[in-house]
């Protein structure tokens, strides 16, 4: 065996061992529990049948994926202009660095702390309601806490930096000479953006959207705190089964179902975006 082949095996073995220890083995354990009967008698898919043929679970999945899709769409709509501002508008490198630090600084704070902050802001006497009342948009305080709207606001705030960073990275890699060539051929700035810049930045948009969607549908802390128990998503239901009911078989089936639907949605969106890029 040559030295280069030994080095290659060493490079592959380390990430493979890490993946097995911290992802594949725990995932296999959860799946094994989900297909094992409660009395340990043998293989059963009763937990999956309970999920798939119960209307309540479909309603929880609908809420989960509705929040995930809306969070992704809003993050992309808000995040793209922000990324454009950072990459194309901010010329002063130090100011751009400050903007990036301000953008990623909240990521170093616990989701619990940030969600508690939104609980204060979105309360009936919080800053959001006081501002809306002061500008005349509403006559009485709106109820954000305990609703999907409150959860959506919290998820967008927490996950927005992921879209800005991925789209910003894609925009920074766009060859400006291609844009200059489009302008030299008579294309307007809007036409150059739509036919040249935006298609070249689509991979960054797709990457950011996938990250946000996967994190949104699996989020637990923000939905649990901002819903106050009034809105149930799959991650909260899984946590309840593991920590309160101690039904590891049913909880495992819920976790595997969430993972399967998430991967299916990501695969479908990637397929659609790849066909659109062609």
């Amino acid at each position: 065996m040559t030295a280069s082949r030994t080095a290659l095996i060493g490079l592959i073995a380390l990430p493979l061992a890490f993946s097995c220890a911290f992802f594949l083995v725990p995932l296999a354990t959860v799946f094994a529990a989900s297909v094992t009967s409660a009395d340990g008698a043998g293989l059963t898919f009763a937990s999956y049948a309970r999920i798939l043929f119960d209307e309540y679970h479909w309603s929880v999945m609908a809420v989960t994926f509705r929040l995930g899709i809306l969070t992704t769409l809003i993050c992309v709509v808000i995040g793209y202009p922000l990324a454009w501002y950072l990459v194309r508008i901010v010329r002063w490198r130090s100011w751009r660095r400050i903007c990036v630090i301000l953008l990623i600084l909240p990521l170093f704070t616990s989701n619990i702390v940030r969600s508690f902050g939104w609980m204060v802001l979105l309360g009936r006497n919080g800053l959001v309601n006081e501002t809306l009342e002061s500008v005349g948009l509403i006559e009485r305080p709106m109820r954000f806490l305990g609703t999907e709207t409150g959860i959506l606001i919290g998820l967008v705030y927490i996950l927005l930096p992921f879209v800005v960073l991925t789209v910003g990275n894609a925009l920074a890699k766009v060859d400006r000479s291609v844009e200059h060539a489009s302008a030299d051929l008579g294309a307007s700035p809007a036409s150059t953006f739509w036919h040249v810049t935006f298609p070249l930045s689509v991979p960054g948009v797709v990457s950011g959207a996938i990250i946000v969607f996967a994190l949104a549908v699996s989020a637990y802390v923000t939905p649990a705190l901002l819903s106050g128990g009034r809105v149930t998503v799959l991650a909260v239901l899984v946590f309840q089964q593991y920590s309160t009911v101690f039904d590891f078989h049913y909880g495992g089936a819920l976790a595997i179902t969430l993972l399967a639907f998430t991967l299916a949605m990501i695969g479908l969106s990637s397929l659609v975006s790849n066909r659109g890029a062609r």
Side-chain angles (χ1 to χ4, degrees), residues 97-232:
R97 194 171 299 161
I98 292 172
C99 290
V100 172
I101 292 174
L102 292 175
L103 178 70
I104 64 175
L105 197 60
L107 297 178
F108 297 100
T109 308
S110 168
N111 280 353
I112 298 175
V113 175
R114 286 184 285 171
S115 297
F116 268 121
W118 276 109
M119 289 176 68
V120 176
L121 293 174
L122 295 176
R124 294 185 66 83
N125 299 317
L127 181 62
V128 174
N129 269 317
E130 288 183 354
T131 302
L132 293 176
E133 283 184 296
S134 64
V135 299
L137 291 177
I138 58 174
E139 295 181 354
R140 64 185 66 179
M142 293 181 63
R143 189 166 71 88
F144 291 107
L145 299 179
T147 66
E148 291 184 30
T149 303
I151 299 173
L152 189 62
I153 292 172
L155 289 175
V156 168
Y157 162 73
I158 289 172
L159 301 178
L160 181 62
F162 294 101
V163 171
V164 179
L165 293 175
T166 53
V167 174
N169 185 49
L171 285 173
K173 291 180 179 178
V174 173
D175 191 350
R176 300 298 297 272
S177 62
V178 180
E179 296 176 333
H180 294 323
S182 174
D184 291 341
L185 292 173
S188 64
S191 180
T192 298
F193 168 78
W194 187 247
H195 295 288
V196 177
T197 308
F198 182 73
L200 292 174
S201 64
V202 163
V205 176
V206 174
S207 299
I210 288 174
I211 293 172
V212 169
F213 178 77
L215 293 176
V217 296
S218 60
Y220 164 72
V221 171
T222 302
L225 292 180
L226 294 181
S227 73
R230 294 187 180 92
V231 180
T232 303

Side-chain angles (χ1 to χ4, degrees), residues 63-87:
V63 171
T64 303
F65 287 98
R66 182 165 60 243
L67 285 171
I69 292 170
L70 288 175
T71 301
T72 304
L73 291 176
I74 294 173
C75 283
V76 169
V77 170
I78 298 176
Y80 199 101
L82 286 176
W84 181 276
Y85 171 79
L86 284 176
V87 175

Side-chain angles (χ1 to χ4, degrees), residues 6-125:
T6 304
L8 179 62
I9 292 175
L11 288 174
I12 297 175
L14 183 60
L16 186 62
F18 184 87
S19 179
C20 288
F22 297 102
F23 178 69
L24 295 178
V25 172
L27 185 63
T29 304
V30 172
F31 179 74
S34 70
V35 294
T36 305
S37 60
D39 56 2
L43 191 68
T44 178
F45 291 95
S47 296
Y48 289 99
R50 179 182 174 188
I51 294 169
L52 296 178
F53 296 106
D54 187 350
E55 188 176 336
Y56 169 72
H57 294 97
W58 283 104
S59 66
V60 172
M61 282 191 276
V63 171
T64 303
F65 287 98
R66 182 165 60 243
L67 285 171
I69 292 170
L70 288 175
T71 301
T72 304
L73 291 176
I74 294 173
C75 283
V76 169
V77 170
I78 298 176
Y80 199 101
L82 286 176
W84 181 276
Y85 171 79
L86 284 176
V87 175
R88 296 299 177 85
I89 305 299
V90 179
R91 301 292 182 184
W92 190 29
R93 184 173 297 180
S94 298
W95 174 240
R96 182 184 299 167
R97 194 171 299 161
I98 292 172
C99 290
V100 172
I101 292 174
L102 292 175
L103 178 70
I104 64 175
L105 197 60
L107 297 178
F108 297 100
T109 308
S110 168
N111 280 353
I112 298 175
V113 175
R114 286 184 285 171
S115 297
F116 268 121
W118 276 109
M119 289 176 68
V120 176
L121 293 174
L122 295 176
R124 294 185 66 83
N125 299 317

Side-chain angles (χ1 to χ4, degrees), residues 218-221 223-224 227 229 231-241:
S218 60
Y220 164 72
V221 171
S227 73
V231 180
T232 303
V233 295
L234 267 177
V236 173
L237 199 57
V238 172
F239 180 79
Q240 290 172 348
Q241 295 304 314

